[in-house]
Amino acid sequence: QVQFVESGGGLVQAGGFLVLSCEISGRALDSFAAGWFRQTPGKDRDLIAGIPWERGNIYYSDSVKGRFTITKDNHKDTIWLQMHDLKPEDTAVYYCNSDFGTPGAWSGSWGQGTQVTVSS
């Protein structure tokens, strides 16, 4: 089954910068896109950024648009999330995932995630 390994989280002050990395193993050959999600206690995982492996529009949620940038390397099966101007409300566990050829059809497997904590 496809596996995801997230890294790069940490504790930063408001206004700070972090880059998260996600290494994907065994992704579906017909996967359309990869994405970053985040989750806080008691809340659902929310898609905050998505990027097609080939062609298509990059997606950002309103909460991160203009501050976060998602990038990818198809050869390395790796995606990154550049997080600028971090805010306390960005505090969450961040996860990555990839779909299996249909937009929004995300893998049922999840990595451990990486914790991002933004202090005031």
Side-chain angles (χ1 to χ4, degrees), residues 3 10 16 18 27 32 53 88 94 119:
Q3 294 181 321
L18 281 175
R27 75 173 175 93
F32 176 75
W53 290 110
Y94 285 71
S119 62

Side-chain angles (χ1 to χ4, degrees), residues 22-60:
C22 167
E23 297 183 340
I24 305 170
S25 300
R27 75 173 175 93
L29 294 178
D30 61 349
S31 177
F32 176 75
W36 284 98
F37 299 73
R38 67 185 182 187
Q39 185 175 34
T40 55
K43 302 291 185 179
D44 294 333
R45 279 191 183 96
D46 293 325
L47 176 68
I48 59 170
I51 185 168
W53 290 110
E54 302 298 334
R55 295 178 179 84
N57 294 330
I58 294 175
Y59 166 82
Y60 296 104

Side-chain angles (χ1 to χ4, degrees), residues 67-78:
R67 298 187 297 119
F68 292 8
T69 301
I70 184 172
T71 58
K72 66 178 178 67
D73 187 322
N74 292 35
H75 180 69
K76 296 180 178 180
D77 282 347
T78 301

